[in-house]
Amino acid sequence: MIKTRFTEMFGVQHPIAQGGMQWVGRAGLVSAVANAGALGFLTALTQPTPEDLAKEIKRTREMTDKPFGVNLTILPTIKPPPYAEYRSAIIEGGIKIVETAGYKPQEHVDEFKKHGIKVIHKCTAVRHALSAERMGVDAISIDGFECAGHPGEDDIPGLILIPCAADKVKIPMLASGGFGDARGLVAALALGADGINMGTRFLATKESPIHEKIKEQIVANDERATDLIFRTMKNTARMAKNTISQKVIEIEKAGGKFEDVRELVSGQRGKVVYEKGDPEYGVWSAGMVQGLIHDIPSVQELVDRIVTEAEALIRKRLDVMVG
Ligand SMILES: Cc1cc2nc3c(=O)[nH]c(=O)nc-3n(C[C@H](O)[C@H](O)[C@H](O)COP(=O)(O)O)c2cc1C
């Protein structure tokens, strides 16, 4: 057992979280993560309506009696989804833990706190972590440059970002981005974090609701198999490298704007990648940690393996080094 401020605060067995994942953070995966003693998050915006989210929360609860949360990702879009209604579905659904991510979470944090919900804010910079702490969130999840999805624009890898954040953030903190095994967990704890948050590693598990072929592609991919798209738009996203991500970068280099790549990067195409198992159909998120993923275990096997090996690493490798 590894006890940290994170396990204590959120009442989970292990210092491991599964962050929100568009199209992937559904009842099956999240309940498996909860049953394995880690903290899983449903992804609110994966559900087409707030009513669907309410149903998904119910469905998850039927599959586990352990704690789980919901991720609310706040996107800088012109036509925002009905955030207040998704928020109500979370509150009325009896959820006690929320992962927020993205822009200006204040109004959401205030509302969640009013209802006694604990908030973990995920961000990619120390200054954003500190501003979330001032906003009153309960914990921080800090995403390094390695991460799948949005690493921000500072390009600071976890080895620097995590201790820099740990030096300043007072509340419990998860290290995120590039974690996939026991070595990562032990390193994160050594760097000052209270646990790890993983995305890509959970994508390649038995309970992950994506096509087998995409899981196999993640196993086949190495640490170099990612691309950074939207760099020129200052909205960088780390995706699995494929012909589409390369094409997007080419268009950007030639001075193309969002309108020129809109069709290529559409979320619907990404959804089809997961459903039909064609890794070249659209862009899909995956991190550098693909280089450390060599199998497709069940979530229980994965979590057990990480914790057991982490304990052995600390006791049998690190402890004996100290003279
Ligand atoms: C397929 C996929 C979809 C994701 N979608 C979201 C999302 O909708 N909202 C969010 O806050 N983070 C999202 N993330 C980021 C993860 O929650 C997590 O921060 C990230 O994957 C950590 O990096 P790692 O993949 O190296 O573990 C996504 C990640 C993946 C792999």
Side-chain angles (χ1 to χ4, degrees):
M1 286 284 278
I2 299 177
K3 245 206 240 173
T4 70
R5 293 190 298 169
F6 168 79
T7 58
E8 300 281 286
M9 177 175 272
F10 296 99
V12 290
Q13 220 177 332
H14 305 304
I16 299 173
Q18 165 257 307
M21 285 189 275
Q22 181 66 323
W23 310 129
V24 182
R26 301 172 188 270
L29 177 62
V30 172
S31 61
V33 172
N35 287 331
L39 182 58
F41 290 92
L42 291 172
T43 311
L45 301 184
T46 290
Q47 299 303 323
T49 68
E51 293 73 39
D52 291 306
L53 174 60
K55 281 188 204 146
E56 196 70 358
I57 292 172
K58 255 197 187 152
R59 211 158 74 81
T60 312
R61 198 159 283 129
E62 280 159 20
M63 297 163 88
T64 185
D65 54 7
K66 302 251 177 74
F68 66 92
V70 176
N71 163 286
L72 188 66
T73 303
I74 305 132
L75 306 160
T77 50
I78 307 158
K79 247 179 69 189
Y83 281 116
E85 289 168 37
Y86 277 101
R87 202 173 62 212
S88 298
I90 293 169
I91 295 167
E92 282 154 28
I95 290 294
K96 295 284 167 245
I97 309 167
V98 164
E99 178 192 58
T100 52
Y103 296 76
K104 304 199 166 95
Q106 180 85 65
E107 135 192 24
H108 305 291
V109 172
D110 290 347
E111 244 347 86
F112 288 133
K113 296 305 304 170
K114 234 190 264 167
H115 290 86
I117 294 170
K118 291 199 175 89
V119 178
I120 304 180
H121 183 65
K122 190 167 62 189
C123 53
T124 58
V126 177
R127 61 191 184 283
H128 298 154
L130 292 174
S131 100
E133 189 176 49
R134 283 194 298 274
M135 237 175 245
V137 305
D138 300 277
I140 296 292
S141 186
I142 192 112
D143 242 336
F145 188 49
E146 302 89 336
C147 74
H150 291 279
E153 309 304 321
D154 292 347
D155 303 359
I156 311 294
L159 196 56
I160 303 297
L161 186 65
I162 299 156
C164 279
D167 279 345
K168 295 196 172 144
V169 171
K170 293 192 187 66
I171 53 180
M173 189 180 79
L174 291 176
S176 180
F179 294 98
D181 61 24
R183 294 169 297 185
L185 172 57
V186 175
L189 298 175
L191 293 171
D194 300 282
I196 54 172
N197 178 58
M198 305 192 295
T200 307
R201 177 62 270 200
F202 280 116
L203 262 186
T205 57
K206 290 211 169 83
E207 292 89 346
S208 155
I210 64 170
H211 200 284
E212 262 332 279
K213 285 227 169 75
I214 303 302
K215 298 180 191 177
E216 285 161 13
Q217 185 68 52
I218 293 170
V219 171
N221 281 350
D222 68 13
E223 63 277 17
R224 298 186 307 158
T226 71
D227 264 330
L228 295 170
I229 63 168
F230 301 156
R231 285 245 91 164
T232 57
M233 301 162 203
K234 299 218 178 325
N235 185 27
T236 301
R238 189 180 293 285
M239 300 290 178
K241 191 196 259 318
N242 63 12
T243 49
I244 310 269
S245 63
Q246 291 277 296
K247 208 165 173 186
V248 171
I249 291 172
E250 228 173 79
I251 295 171
E252 285 191 69
K253 271 194 186 141
K257 298 281 169 270
F258 186 71
E259 286 65 45
D260 305 309
V261 298
R262 185 194 295 275
E263 218 294 294
L264 287 174
V265 302
S266 87
Q268 286 311 313
R269 282 179 81 133
K271 193 169 173 223
V272 171
V273 166
Y274 295 134
E275 284 171 1
K276 300 263 157 58
D278 176 1
E280 299 292 330
Y281 190 79
V283 292
W284 51 284
S285 302
M288 290 175 160
V289 73
Q290 287 179 114
L292 295 173
I293 297 175
H294 309 302
D295 63 356
I296 306 167
S298 71
V299 166
Q300 182 80 55
E301 282 163 351
L302 176 67
V303 171
D304 285 351
R305 185 203 297 168
I306 292 176
V307 175
T308 310
E309 290 182 5
E311 287 169 1
L313 246 177
I314 295 166
R315 292 225 168 90
K316 300 197 182 122
R317 181 173 158 79
L318 301 183
D319 195 32
V320 295
M321 285 178 180
V322 183

